[in-house]
Amino acid sequence: AAVSWDSTWTALSPQFLRRQQVLQLYRKILRAIREVPAETDRRYLRDWAREEFKRNKDATEEDAIRMMITQGNMQLQELQRTLKLAKS
């Protein structure tokens, strides 16, 4: 049976949307890390980010996931601020 466009979008689960948020955060962090000038620092940060996301990949509790996303966004902002300061 054909599924209409509207019913597809209303059927998106909160888990799917949360997963999209997490993946978007991960990509933003990796993009920011690419801006780090020193190769050793880039490698360290990339490994750190990969391990953090891997360590928490099986989390299911909604509040915990929301908190981790908030913390990740704060760490991303801190990295971006640091990079901006380094360039000025």
Side-chain angles (χ1 to χ4, degrees):
V3 177
S4 75
W5 178 261
D6 290 339
S7 67
T8 303
W9 285 107
T10 55
L12 291 178
S13 70
Q15 292 85 0
F16 175 83
L17 297 173
R18 189 71 66 216
R19 184 172 191 277
Q20 294 308 304
Q21 268 187 305
V22 170
L23 290 173
Q24 183 180 36
L25 174 61
Y26 185 61
R27 286 192 290 267
K28 284 180 180 177
I29 289 172
L30 291 180
R31 263 186 233 116
I33 289 170
R34 279 191 225 134
E35 303 296 314
V36 173
E39 171 61 33
T40 53
D41 293 341
R42 268 197 315 273
R43 195 176 304 120
Y44 170 80
L45 289 169
R46 207 173 27 243
D47 291 346
W48 166 82
R50 198 173 285 141
E51 285 305 311
E52 281 297 306
F53 278 83
K54 209 181 280 185
R55 190 164 55 88
N56 293 303
K57 76 180 173 86
D58 294 323
T60 55
E61 192 179 319
E62 201 59 33
D63 289 340
I65 294 170
R66 259 198 305 279
M67 187 189 72
M68 287 184 272
I69 290 172
T70 300
Q71 284 180 326
N73 277 311
M74 288 178 0
Q75 290 170 325
L76 172 60
Q77 288 171 354
E78 183 61 32
L79 175 59
Q80 289 169 332
R81 265 195 304 275
T82 303
L83 288 168
K84 196 172 182 181
L85 282 172
K87 286 180 181 176
S88 60

Coordinates of all heavy atoms in Angstrom, one line a residue:
A1 N 0.8 -1.2 0.0 CA 0.0 0.0 0.0 C 0.9 1.2 0.0 O 1.9 1.3 0.6 CB -0.9 0.0 1.2
A2 N 0.4 2.2 -0.7 CA 1.2 3.5 -0.8 C 1.1 4.3 0.5 O 0.0 4.3 1.1 CB 0.7 4.3 -1.9
V3 N 2.2 4.9 0.9 CA 2.2 5.7 2.2 C 2.3 7.1 1.7 O 3.2 7.5 1.0 CB 3.3 5.3 3.1 CG1 3.4 6.2 4.3 CG2 3.2 3.9 3.5
S4 N 1.4 8.0 2.2 CA 1.4 9.4 1.8 C 2.6 10.1 2.5 O 3.0 9.6 3.6 CB 0.1 10.1 2.1 OG 0.0 10.3 3.5
W5 N 3.0 11.2 2.0 CA 4.1 12.0 2.5 C 3.8 12.4 3.9 O 4.6 12.2 4.8 CB 4.3 13.2 1.6 CG 5.4 14.1 2.1 CD1 5.2 15.3 2.8 CD2 6.8 14.0 1.9 NE1 6.4 15.9 3.0 CE2 7.4 15.1 2.5 CE3 7.6 13.0 1.3 CZ2 8.7 15.3 2.5 CZ3 9.0 13.2 1.3 CH2 9.5 14.4 1.9
D6 N 2.6 12.9 4.2 CA 2.2 13.3 5.5 C 2.3 12.2 6.6 O 2.8 12.5 7.7 CB 0.8 13.9 5.5 CG 0.7 15.3 4.8 OD1 1.8 15.9 4.6 OD2 -0.3 15.6 4.3
S7 N 1.7 11.1 6.3 CA 1.7 10.0 7.3 C 3.1 9.5 7.6 O 3.4 9.0 8.6 CB 0.8 8.9 6.9 OG 1.3 8.2 5.7
T8 N 4.0 9.6 6.6 CA 5.4 9.2 6.8 C 6.1 10.1 7.8 O 6.7 9.7 8.8 CB 6.2 9.3 5.5 OG1 5.6 8.5 4.5 CG2 7.7 8.8 5.7
W9 N 5.9 11.4 7.7 CA 6.5 12.4 8.6 C 5.9 12.3 10.0 O 6.5 12.5 11.0 CB 6.5 13.8 8.0 CG 7.5 13.9 7.0 CD1 7.3 14.0 5.6 CD2 8.9 13.9 7.1 NE1 8.4 14.0 5.0 CE2 9.5 14.0 5.8 CE3 9.7 13.9 8.2 CZ2 10.8 14.0 5.6 CZ3 11.1 13.9 8.0 CH2 11.6 14.0 6.7
T10 N 4.6 12.1 10.1 CA 4.0 12.0 11.4 C 4.3 10.7 12.1 O 4.2 10.6 13.3 CB 2.4 12.2 11.3 OG1 1.9 11.2 10.4 CG2 2.1 13.5 10.9
A11 N 4.8 9.7 11.4 CA 5.1 8.4 11.9 C 6.6 8.3 12.4 O 7.0 7.3 13.0 CB 4.9 7.3 10.9
L12 N 7.3 9.4 12.3 CA 8.7 9.4 12.8 C 8.7 9.2 14.3 O 8.1 10.0 15.0 CB 9.5 10.6 12.4 CG 9.7 10.8 10.9 CD1 10.4 12.2 10.6 CD2 10.6 9.7 10.3
S13 N 9.5 8.2 14.7 CA 9.5 8.0 16.2 C 10.4 9.0 16.9 O 11.4 9.5 16.3 CB 10.0 6.6 16.4 OG 11.3 6.5 16.1
P14 N 10.2 9.2 18.2 CA 11.1 10.1 18.9 C 12.5 9.5 18.9 O 13.5 10.2 18.9 CB 10.5 10.0 20.3 CG 9.1 9.6 20.2 CD 9.1 8.8 18.9
Q15 N 12.7 8.2 18.9 CA 14.0 7.5 18.8 C 14.7 7.9 17.6 O 15.9 8.2 17.6 CB 13.9 6.0 19.0 CG 13.4 5.5 20.3 CD 11.9 5.5 20.5 OE1 11.2 5.8 19.5 NE2 11.4 5.1 21.6
F16 N 14.0 7.9 16.4 CA 14.6 8.2 15.2 C 15.0 9.7 15.2 O 16.2 10.0 14.8 CB 13.5 8.0 14.0 CG 14.1 8.5 12.7 CD1 14.9 7.6 11.9 CD2 13.8 9.7 12.2 CE1 15.4 8.1 10.7 CE2 14.2 10.2 11.0 CZ 15.0 9.3 10.2
L17 N 14.2 10.6 15.7 CA 14.6 12.0 15.7 C 15.7 12.2 16.7 O 16.6 13.0 16.4 CB 13.3 12.8 16.2 CG 12.2 12.8 15.2 CD1 11.0 13.5 15.8 CD2 12.5 13.4 13.9
R18 N 15.8 11.5 17.8 CA 16.9 11.6 18.7 C 18.2 11.1 18.1 O 19.2 11.8 18.2 CB 16.6 10.8 20.0 CG 17.5 11.1 21.1 CD 17.4 12.4 21.8 NE 16.2 12.6 22.4 CZ 15.5 13.8 22.5 NH1 16.0 14.8 21.9 NH2 14.4 13.9 23.1
R19 N 18.1 10.0 17.4 CA 19.2 9.5 16.7 C 19.8 10.5 15.7 O 21.0 10.7 15.5 CB 18.9 8.2 16.0 CG 20.0 7.5 15.3 CD 19.6 6.1 14.8 NE 20.8 5.3 14.4 CZ 21.3 5.5 13.2 NH1 20.9 6.3 12.3 NH2 22.4 4.7 12.9
Q20 N 18.9 11.2 14.9 CA 19.3 12.2 14.0 C 20.0 13.3 14.7 O 21.0 13.8 14.2 CB 18.1 12.7 13.2 CG 17.4 11.7 12.3 CD 18.4 11.0 11.4 OE1 19.1 11.7 10.6 NE2 18.5 9.7 11.5
Q21 N 19.5 13.7 15.9 CA 20.2 14.8 16.7 C 21.6 14.3 17.1 O 22.5 15.1 17.0 CB 19.4 15.0 18.0 CG 18.4 16.1 17.9 CD 17.8 16.3 19.3 OE1 17.3 15.4 20.0 NE2 17.9 17.5 19.8
V22 N 21.7 13.1 17.5 CA 23.1 12.6 17.9 C 24.0 12.5 16.8 O 25.2 13.0 16.9 CB 22.9 11.2 18.6 CG1 24.3 10.6 18.8 CG2 22.1 11.3 19.9
L23 N 23.6 12.0 15.6 CA 24.4 12.0 14.4 C 24.8 13.3 14.0 O 26.0 13.6 13.6 CB 23.7 11.2 13.3 CG 23.5 9.7 13.5 CD1 22.7 9.1 12.4 CD2 24.9 9.0 13.6
Q24 N 23.9 14.3 14.0 CA 24.2 15.7 13.6 C 25.3 16.3 14.5 O 26.2 16.9 14.1 CB 22.9 16.5 13.7 CG 23.1 17.9 13.2 CD 21.8 18.7 13.2 OE1 21.0 18.5 14.2 NE2 21.6 19.5 12.3
L25 N 25.1 16.0 15.8 CA 26.1 16.5 16.8 C 27.5 15.9 16.5 O 28.5 16.6 16.5 CB 25.7 16.2 18.2 CG 26.6 16.5 19.4 CD1 27.0 18.0 19.4 CD2 26.1 16.1 20.7
Y26 N 27.5 14.6 16.3 CA 28.8 13.9 16.0 C 29.5 14.5 14.8 O 30.7 14.8 14.8 CB 28.5 12.4 15.8 CG 29.7 11.6 15.6 CD1 30.7 11.5 16.6 CD2 29.9 10.8 14.5 CE1 31.8 10.7 16.5 CE2 31.0 10.0 14.3 CZ 32.0 9.9 15.3 OH 33.1 9.1 15.2
R27 N 28.7 14.7 13.7 CA 29.3 15.3 12.5 C 29.8 16.7 12.8 O 30.9 17.1 12.3 CB 28.2 15.3 11.4 CG 28.0 13.9 10.8 CD 27.2 14.0 9.5 NE 25.8 14.3 9.7 CZ 24.9 13.4 9.9 NH1 25.1 12.1 9.9 NH2 23.6 13.8 10.0
K28 N 29.0 17.5 13.5 CA 29.5 18.9 13.8 C 30.8 18.9 14.6 O 31.7 19.7 14.4 CB 28.4 19.6 14.6 CG 27.3 20.1 13.8 CD 26.3 20.8 14.8 CE 25.1 21.3 14.0 NZ 24.1 21.9 14.9
I29 N 30.9 17.9 15.6 CA 32.1 17.8 16.4 C 33.3 17.4 15.5 O 34.4 18.1 15.6 CB 31.9 16.8 17.5 CG1 31.0 17.4 18.6 CG2 33.3 16.4 18.2 CD1 30.5 16.5 19.7
L30 N 33.1 16.5 14.6 CA 34.2 16.0 13.7 C 34.6 17.2 12.8 O 35.8 17.3 12.5 CB 33.8 14.8 13.0 CG 33.7 13.5 13.8 CD1 33.3 12.3 12.9 CD2 34.9 13.2 14.5
R31 N 33.6 17.9 12.3 CA 34.0 19.1 11.4 C 34.8 20.1 12.2 O 35.7 20.7 11.6 CB 32.7 19.7 10.9 CG 32.3 19.2 9.5 CD 31.2 19.9 8.9 NE 30.2 18.9 8.5 CZ 29.0 18.8 9.0 NH1 28.5 19.6 9.9 NH2 28.2 17.8 8.6
A32 N 34.4 20.4 13.4 CA 35.1 21.4 14.2 C 36.5 20.9 14.5 O 37.5 21.6 14.4 CB 34.4 21.6 15.5
I33 N 36.7 19.6 14.8 CA 38.0 19.0 15.0 C 38.9 19.2 13.8 O 40.1 19.4 14.0 CB 37.9 17.5 15.5 CG1 37.3 17.5 16.9 CG2 39.2 16.8 15.5 CD1 36.9 16.1 17.4
R34 N 38.4 19.1 12.6 CA 39.2 19.3 11.4 C 39.9 20.6 11.4 O 40.9 20.8 10.7 CB 38.4 19.2 10.2 CG 38.1 17.7 9.8 CD 37.5 17.7 8.4 NE 36.4 16.7 8.4 CZ 35.2 16.9 7.9 NH1 34.9 18.0 7.3 NH2 34.3 16.0 8.0
E35 N 39.4 21.6 12.1 CA 39.9 23.0 12.2 C 41.1 23.1 13.1 O 41.8 24.1 13.1 CB 38.8 24.0 12.6 CG 37.6 24.0 11.7 CD 37.9 24.4 10.3 OE1 38.6 25.4 10.1 OE2 37.5 23.7 9.3
V36 N 41.3 22.1 14.0 CA 42.4 22.1 14.9 C 43.7 22.1 14.2 O 43.9 21.2 13.3 CB 42.3 21.0 15.9 CG1 43.5 20.9 16.9 CG2 41.0 21.1 16.8
P37 N 44.6 23.0 14.4 CA 45.8 23.1 13.6 C 46.8 21.9 13.8 O 47.4 21.4 12.8 CB 46.5 24.4 14.0 CG 45.7 24.9 15.2 CD 44.5 24.1 15.3
A38 N 47.0 21.5 15.0 CA 48.1 20.5 15.3 C 47.5 19.1 15.0 O 46.5 18.7 15.6 CB 48.6 20.6 16.7
E39 N 48.2 18.3 14.2 CA 47.8 16.9 13.9 C 47.6 16.0 15.1 O 46.6 15.3 15.2 CB 48.8 16.3 12.9 CG 48.6 14.8 12.6 CD 47.2 14.5 12.0 OE1 46.8 15.3 11.2 OE2 46.7 13.4 12.3
T40 N 48.5 16.1 16.1 CA 48.4 15.3 17.3 C 47.2 15.6 18.1 O 46.5 14.7 18.6 CB 49.7 15.4 18.2 OG1 49.9 16.8 18.4 CG2 50.9 14.8 17.5
D41 N 46.9 16.9 18.2 CA 45.6 17.4 18.9 C 44.4 16.9 18.1 O 43.4 16.4 18.7 CB 45.6 18.9 19.0 CG 46.7 19.4 19.9 OD1 47.2 18.6 20.7 OD2 47.0 20.6 19.9
R42 N 44.4 17.0 16.8 CA 43.3 16.5 16.0 C 43.0 15.1 16.2 O 41.9 14.6 16.4 CB 43.5 16.8 14.5 CG 43.0 18.1 14.0 CD 43.0 18.1 12.5 NE 44.1 17.6 11.7 CZ 45.2 18.3 11.4 NH1 45.3 19.5 11.7 NH2 46.2 17.7 10.8
R43 N 44.1 14.3 16.2 CA 44.0 12.8 16.3 C 43.4 12.5 17.7 O 42.5 11.7 17.9 CB 45.3 12.1 16.1 CG 45.2 10.6 16.0 CD 46.5 9.9 15.6 NE 47.2 10.5 14.5 CZ 48.4 11.0 14.5 NH1 49.1 11.1 15.6 NH2 48.9 11.5 13.4
Y44 N 44.0 13.2 18.8 CA 43.5 13.0 20.1 C 42.0 13.3 20.3 O 41.3 12.5 20.8 CB 44.3 13.8 21.1 CG 43.7 13.8 22.5 CD1 44.0 12.8 23.4 CD2 42.9 14.9 22.9 CE1 43.4 12.8 24.6 CE2 42.4 14.9 24.2 CZ 42.6 13.8 25.0 OH 42.0 13.8 26.3
L45 N 41.6 14.4 19.7 CA 40.2 14.9 19.8 C 39.3 13.9 19.1 O 38.2 13.6 19.5 CB 40.0 16.3 19.4 CG 40.6 17.4 20.3 CD1 40.6 18.7 19.7 CD2 39.8 17.4 21.6
R46 N 39.7 13.5 17.9 CA 38.9 12.6 17.1 C 38.7 11.3 17.8 O 37.6 10.7 17.9 CB 39.6 12.4 15.7 CG 38.7 12.0 14.6 CD 39.3 12.0 13.2 NE 40.7 11.7 13.2 CZ 41.7 12.5 12.8 NH1 41.4 13.7 12.3 NH2 42.9 12.1 12.7
D47 N 39.8 10.7 18.4 CA 39.7 9.5 19.1 C 38.8 9.7 20.4 O 38.0 8.8 20.7 CB 41.1 9.0 19.6 CG 42.0 8.5 18.4 OD1 41.4 8.3 17.3 OD2 43.2 8.4 18.6
W48 N 38.9 10.8 21.0 CA 38.1 11.1 22.2 C 36.6 11.1 21.8 O 35.8 10.5 22.5 CB 38.5 12.4 22.8 CG 37.5 12.9 23.8 CD1 37.4 12.5 25.1 CD2 36.5 13.9 23.6 NE1 36.4 13.2 25.7 CE2 35.8 14.0 24.8 CE3 36.1 14.6 22.5 CZ2 34.7 14.9 24.9 CZ3 35.0 15.4 22.6 CH2 34.3 15.6 23.8
A49 N 36.3 11.8 20.8 CA 34.9 11.9 20.3 C 34.4 10.6 20.0 O 33.3 10.2 20.4 CB 34.8 12.9 19.2
R50 N 35.1 9.8 19.2 CA 34.7 8.5 18.7 C 34.4 7.6 19.9 O 33.4 6.9 20.0 CB 35.8 7.9 17.9 CG 35.4 6.7 17.0 CD 36.4 6.3 16.0 NE 36.6 7.3 14.9 CZ 37.7 7.7 14.4 NH1 38.9 7.2 14.8 NH2 37.7 8.5 13.4
E51 N 35.3 7.6 20.9 CA 35.2 6.8 22.1 C 33.9 7.2 22.9 O 33.2 6.3 23.4 CB 36.4 6.8 23.0 CG 37.6 6.0 22.4 CD 37.2 4.5 22.2 OE1 36.6 3.9 23.0 OE2 37.4 4.1 21.0
E52 N 33.7 8.5 23.1 CA 32.6 9.0 23.9 C 31.3 8.5 23.2 O 30.4 8.0 23.9 CB 32.6 10.5 24.0 CG 33.5 11.1 25.0 CD 33.2 10.6 26.4 OE1 32.0 10.9 26.9 OE2 34.1 10.1 27.1
F53 N 31.2 8.7 21.9 CA 29.9 8.3 21.3 C 29.8 6.8 21.3 O 28.7 6.3 21.5 CB 29.9 8.8 19.8 CG 29.4 10.3 19.8 CD1 30.3 11.3 20.0 CD2 28.1 10.6 19.5 CE1 29.9 12.6 20.0 CE2 27.7 11.9 19.5 CZ 28.6 12.9 19.7
K54 N 30.9 6.0 21.1 CA 30.8 4.6 21.1 C 30.4 4.1 22.5 O 29.6 3.2 22.6 CB 32.2 4.0 20.7 CG 32.1 2.7 20.0 CD 33.5 2.1 19.7 CE 34.0 2.8 18.4 NZ 35.3 2.2 18.0
R55 N 31.0 4.7 23.5 CA 30.7 4.3 24.9 C 29.2 4.4 25.3 O 28.7 3.7 26.1 CB 31.6 5.1 25.9 CG 31.6 4.6 27.3 CD 32.7 5.2 28.1 NE 32.8 6.7 28.0 CZ 32.1 7.5 28.9 NH1 31.4 7.0 29.8 NH2 32.2 8.8 28.8
N56 N 28.6 5.4 24.7 CA 27.2 5.7 25.0 C 26.2 5.3 24.0 O 25.0 5.6 24.1 CB 27.0 7.3 25.3 CG 27.8 7.7 26.5 OD1 27.6 7.2 27.6 ND2 28.8 8.6 26.3
K57 N 26.6 4.5 23.0 CA 25.7 4.2 21.9 C 24.5 3.3 22.3 O 23.5 3.3 21.6 CB 26.5 3.5 20.8 CG 26.9 2.1 21.0 CD 27.6 1.5 19.8 CE 28.2 0.2 20.0 NZ 27.3 -0.9 19.8
D58 N 24.6 2.6 23.4 CA 23.5 1.7 23.8 C 22.6 2.4 24.9 O 21.7 1.7 25.4 CB 24.1 0.4 24.4 CG 24.8 -0.4 23.3 OD1 24.3 -0.4 22.2 OD2 25.8 -1.0 23.7
A59 N 22.8 3.7 25.1 CA 21.9 4.4 26.1 C 20.5 4.4 25.5 O 20.3 4.6 24.3 CB 22.5 5.8 26.3
T60 N 19.5 4.2 26.4 CA 18.1 4.2 26.0 C 17.3 5.2 26.8 O 16.2 5.5 26.3 CB 17.5 2.8 26.1 OG1 17.7 2.3 27.5 CG2 18.2 1.8 25.1
E61 N 17.7 5.6 27.9 CA 16.9 6.4 28.8 C 16.9 7.8 28.2 O 17.9 8.5 28.0 CB 17.5 6.5 30.2 CG 16.6 7.1 31.2 CD 17.1 7.1 32.6 OE1 17.7 6.1 33.0 OE2 16.9 8.2 33.2
E62 N 15.7 8.3 27.9 CA 15.5 9.6 27.2 C 16.2 10.8 27.9 O 16.8 11.6 27.3 CB 14.0 9.8 27.0 CG 13.6 10.8 26.0 CD 14.1 10.4 24.6 OE1 14.2 9.2 24.3 OE2 14.4 11.3 23.8
D63 N 16.0 10.9 29.2 CA 16.6 12.0 30.0 C 18.1 12.0 29.9 O 18.8 13.0 29.7 CB 16.2 12.0 31.4 CG 14.7 12.4 31.6 OD1 14.1 13.0 30.7 OD2 14.1 12.0 32.6
A64 N 18.7 10.8 30.0 CA 20.2 10.6 30.0 C 20.7 11.0 28.6 O 21.7 11.7 28.5 CB 20.6 9.2 30.3
I65 N 20.0 10.6 27.5 CA 20.4 10.9 26.2 C 20.3 12.4 26.0 O 21.2 13.0 25.4 CB 19.5 10.2 25.1 CG1 19.8 8.7 25.3 CG2 19.8 10.7 23.7 CD1 18.8 7.8 24.5
R66 N 19.2 13.1 26.4 CA 19.1 14.5 26.3 C 20.2 15.2 27.0 O 20.7 16.2 26.5 CB 17.7 15.0 26.8 CG 16.7 15.2 25.8 CD 15.5 16.1 26.3 NE 14.9 15.6 27.5 CZ 13.9 14.6 27.4 NH1 13.6 14.1 26.3 NH2 13.4 14.2 28.6
M67 N 20.6 14.8 28.2 CA 21.6 15.4 28.9 C 23.0 15.2 28.2 O 23.8 16.2 28.1 CB 21.7 14.7 30.3 CG 22.7 15.4 31.2 SD 23.0 14.5 32.8 CE 24.0 13.2 32.2
M68 N 23.2 14.1 27.6 CA 24.5 13.8 26.9 C 24.5 14.7 25.7 O 25.6 15.3 25.3 CB 24.6 12.4 26.5 CG 25.0 11.5 27.7 SD 25.2 9.8 27.2 CE 23.6 9.1 27.2
I69 N 23.4 14.9 25.0 CA 23.4 15.8 23.8 C 23.7 17.3 24.2 O 24.5 18.0 23.6 CB 22.0 15.7 23.1 CG1 21.9 14.4 22.4 CG2 21.8 16.9 22.1 CD1 20.5 14.1 21.8
T70 N 23.1 17.7 25.4 CA 23.4 19.0 25.9 C 24.8 19.2 26.2 O 25.5 20.2 25.8 CB 22.5 19.3 27.1 OG1 21.1 19.2 26.8 CG2 22.7 20.7 27.7
Q71 N 25.4 18.2 26.9 CA 26.8 18.3 27.2 C 27.7 18.3 26.0 O 28.7 19.0 25.9 CB 27.2 17.0 28.1 CG 26.8 17.1 29.5 CD 27.2 15.9 30.3 OE1 27.2 14.8 29.8 NE2 27.5 16.1 31.6
G72 N 27.3 17.5 25.0 CA 28.1 17.4 23.7 C 28.0 18.8 23.0 O 29.1 19.3 22.5
N73 N 26.9 19.4 23.0 CA 26.7 20.7 22.4 C 27.6 21.8 23.1 O 28.2 22.6 22.5 CB 25.3 21.2 22.3 CG 24.6 20.6 21.1 OD1 25.1 20.7 20.0 ND2 23.4 20.0 21.4
M74 N 27.6 21.7 24.5 CA 28.4 22.6 25.2 C 29.9 22.4 24.9 O 30.7 23.4 24.8 CB 28.2 22.5 26.7 CG 26.8 23.0 27.1 SD 26.2 22.9 28.8 CE 27.5 22.1 29.7
Q75 N 30.4 21.2 24.8 CA 31.8 20.9 24.5 C 32.1 21.4 23.1 O 33.2 21.9 22.9 CB 32.0 19.4 24.7 CG 32.0 19.0 26.2 CD 32.1 17.5 26.4 OE1 31.5 16.7 25.6 NE2 32.7 17.1 27.5
L76 N 31.1 21.2 22.2 CA 31.3 21.7 20.8 C 31.5 23.2 20.8 O 32.4 23.7 20.2 CB 30.2 21.3 19.9 CG 30.1 21.8 18.5 CD1 31.4 21.4 17.7 CD2 28.8 21.4 17.8
Q77 N 30.6 23.9 21.5 CA 30.7 25.4 21.6 C 32.1 25.8 22.2 O 32.7 26.8 21.7 CB 29.6 25.9 22.4 CG 28.3 25.8 21.7 CD 27.1 26.2 22.6 OE1 27.2 26.4 23.8 NE2 25.9 26.3 22.0
E78 N 32.5 25.1 23.2 CA 33.8 25.4 23.8 C 35.0 25.2 22.8 O 35.8 26.1 22.7 CB 34.0 24.5 25.1 CG 35.3 24.8 25.8 CD 35.3 26.3 26.4 OE1 34.3 26.8 26.7 OE2 36.4 26.8 26.4
L79 N 34.9 24.1 22.1 CA 35.9 23.9 21.1 C 35.9 25.0 20.0 O 37.0 25.5 19.6 CB 35.7 22.5 20.4 CG 36.6 22.1 19.3 CD1 38.1 22.2 19.7 CD2 36.2 20.8 18.7
Q80 N 34.7 25.3 19.5 CA 34.6 26.4 18.5 C 35.1 27.7 19.1 O 35.8 28.5 18.3 CB 33.1 26.5 18.1 CG 32.7 25.3 17.2 CD 31.2 25.3 17.0 OE1 30.4 25.8 17.8 NE2 30.8 24.7 15.9
R81 N 34.8 28.0 20.3 CA 35.3 29.3 20.9 C 36.8 29.3 21.0 O 37.5 30.3 20.7 CB 34.7 29.5 22.3 CG 33.5 30.3 22.4 CD 33.2 30.8 23.8 NE 33.1 29.7 24.8 CZ 31.9 29.0 25.0 NH1 30.8 29.3 24.3 NH2 31.8 28.0 25.9
T82 N 37.4 28.2 21.4 CA 38.8 28.0 21.5 C 39.5 28.2 20.1 O 40.5 28.9 20.0 CB 39.2 26.7 22.1 OG1 38.6 26.5 23.4 CG2 40.7 26.5 22.3
L83 N 38.9 27.6 19.1 CA 39.5 27.7 17.8 C 39.4 29.1 17.3 O 40.3 29.6 16.6 CB 38.7 26.8 16.8 CG 39.0 25.3 17.0 CD1 38.0 24.4 16.2 CD2 40.4 25.0 16.6
K84 N 38.3 29.8 17.6 CA 38.1 31.2 17.1 C 39.1 32.1 17.8 O 39.7 33.0 17.2 CB 36.7 31.6 17.5 CG 36.2 32.9 16.8 CD 34.7 33.1 17.1 CE 34.2 34.3 16.3 NZ 32.8 34.6 16.6
L85 N 39.4 31.9 19.1 CA 40.4 32.6 19.8 C 41.8 32.4 19.3 O 42.6 33.3 19.1 CB 40.4 32.3 21.3 CG 39.3 32.9 22.1 CD1 39.3 32.3 23.5 CD2 39.4 34.4 22.2
A86 N 42.1 31.2 18.9 CA 43.4 30.8 18.4 C 43.6 31.5 17.0 O 44.8 31.8 16.7 CB 43.5 29.3 18.3
K87 N 42.6 31.7 16.3 CA 42.7 32.3 15.0 C 42.9 33.8 15.0 O 43.4 34.5 14.1 CB 41.5 32.0 14.1 CG 41.5 30.6 13.6 CD 40.3 30.3 12.7 CE 40.3 28.8 12.3 NZ 39.1 28.5 11.5
S88 N 42.4 34.4 16.1 CA 42.5 35.9 16.2 C 43.8 36.4 16.8 O 44.6 35.7 17.2 CB 41.3 36.4 17.1 OG 41.3 35.9 18.4

